[in-house]
Amino acid sequence: MPWLQLRLNATADTAEKVGDLMSACGALSVTFLDSKDNPVFEPMPGETRLWGETDVMGLWDAEADMDIVVSYLQMHGGLTKGQRYKLEPLEDKDWEREWMDNFHPMQFGERLWICPSWRDAPAADAVNVILDPGLAFGTGTHPTTALCLQWLDSLDLTDKTVVDFGCGSGILAVAALKLGAKSAIGIDIDPQAILASRDNAERNGVSDKLSLYLPDEQPADLKADVVVANILAGPLRELAPLICQLPLPGGHLALSGVLESQAEEVASAYQSHINLDPICQKEEWARISGIAK
């Protein structure tokens, strides 16, 4: 058994310090895990957002003297007196292969599939988007992304223009283009998202139809037939006046990144400009959609 994992519980205020202490005493990697299954949203660039109850797990070589590690953590406040921790051996595995094996082609709606590049598309005649997990948020596994992909699949996007507001990995913009959209515009505050979106568009052969902008660079008169914004409830409320101006009259709008408990409040910020459909829910998440007035 070539690896040893030390696991202990921390709070949002102490977890990052504990992780730093683990790294300082030889941890090969440090992982933060939500110990109470509370949702955490995508952080802003440069922000480290941790859960209220967080398990911190450090990984050491099996030859490491863990008594010294535990003493170091206790001496520097990473472990309090009497606090329990778990030390366990881990099997040696091909971790990259195991990680890759966890990602399978996923279907959204009737036509659309999201496929990692190392797996064959299950339906050659379907609309297949090739997309691998990466640094930017959005691979189709999260319910909010799934809700938006299903919504895009339900529309006739032939010759339509699409805005992906908060594009992340570009998955929604690329999917819209593969579903027949004439052009797409991706907007994100994170330069990494712009790079990831461009890479994914090139991989799927649609880069010539996708324009990407940071918010302060986007065209002032931007309008589209279809607008989708999969971000967070707070920004969706705050940016409602801006987002409501993006769809053309009669155009389609979808909003997600919203918990079901937040949906009505977010919807109320749009109802004066959008004829809203019934809220669609997946697990504890929601999608708000409608037609621009």
Side-chain angles (χ1 to χ4, degrees):
M1 301 264 185
W3 308 107
L4 288 172
Q5 179 175 270
L6 176 64
R7 178 174 182 153
L8 59 89
N9 189 253
T11 67
D13 293 330
T14 63
E16 193 166 3
K17 176 185 176 181
V18 172
D20 289 342
L21 290 172
M22 286 183 172
S23 296
C25 56
L28 301 173
S29 69
V30 176
T31 303
F32 300 98
L33 181 69
D34 176 16
S35 61
K36 296 215 172 189
D37 198 30
N38 294 317
V40 62
F41 297 99
E42 181 184 15
M44 299 287 280
E47 176 186 11
T48 301
R49 191 177 301 183
L50 298 174
W51 300 269
E53 295 291 340
T54 303
D55 285 344
V56 186
M57 297 177 293
L59 190 68
W60 280 262
D61 185 275
E63 300 300 321
D65 189 334
M66 297 307 292
D67 289 336
I68 293 176
V69 172
V70 170
S71 296
Y72 182 91
L73 292 172
Q74 291 172 334
M75 184 183 305
H76 293 85
L79 262 174
T80 58
K81 185 177 180 180
Q83 181 181 353
R84 294 185 178 183
Y85 60 88
K86 185 176 183 180
L87 184 61
E88 55 189 340
L90 296 181
E91 295 181 10
D92 192 15
K93 296 181 179 180
D94 183 345
W95 293 106
E96 181 178 3
R97 171 54 55 188
E98 181 153 309
W99 171 79
M100 291 172 69
D101 286 346
N102 287 329
F103 289 90
H104 303 274
M106 296 172 288
Q107 185 175 11
F108 301 93
E110 297 296 325
R111 302 166 290 164
L112 183 62
W113 286 81
I114 306 298
C115 306
S117 61
W118 57 85
R119 291 190 179 274
D120 293 332
D125 58 345
V127 178
N128 296 305
V129 175
I130 307 303
L131 187 132
D132 294 339
L135 292 177
F137 181 74
T139 60
T141 57
H142 196 275
T144 61
T145 311
L147 285 165
C148 292
L149 289 169
Q150 291 165 356
W151 179 76
L152 287 170
D153 181 78
S154 72
L155 302 176
D156 180 3
L157 297 179
T158 305
D159 292 330
K160 298 292 195 300
T161 55
V162 178
V163 166
D164 182 0
F165 193 92
C167 56
S169 67
I171 183 172
L172 300 179
V174 171
L177 290 169
K178 303 266 309 211
L179 285 164
K182 176 176 62 177
S183 63
I185 300 95
I187 301 166
D188 205 287
I189 61 175
D190 187 354
Q192 178 62 50
I194 301 299
L195 293 174
S197 296
R198 183 174 293 115
D199 289 344
N200 285 322
E202 289 175 356
R203 179 174 296 175
N204 284 276
V206 295
S207 59
D208 59 326
K209 300 178 182 179
L210 177 63
S211 302
L212 295 162
Y213 300 99
L214 295 169
D216 58 355
E217 299 172 347
Q218 71 184 67
D221 57 350
L222 183 60
K223 295 282 186 180
D225 301 296
V226 176
V227 178
V228 58
N230 184 24
I231 45 177
L232 304 175
L236 284 175
R237 290 193 299 268
E238 295 168 13
L239 296 172
L242 169 63
I243 295 174
C244 283
Q245 299 304 310
L246 295 176
L248 292 162
H252 295 268
L253 173 69
L255 314 167
S256 197
V258 178
L259 288 166
E260 189 276 334
S261 59
Q262 302 167 322
E264 291 291 348
E265 184 179 359
V266 172
S268 67
Y270 290 80
Q271 60 187 4
S272 61
H273 292 85
I274 307 294
N275 291 316
L276 296 172
D277 301 324
I279 292 170
C280 183
Q281 186 176 347
K282 183 178 179 64
E283 300 173 14
E284 72 268 36
W285 300 93
R287 184 193 69 223
I288 301 156
S289 61
I291 306 296
K293 297 180 180 178

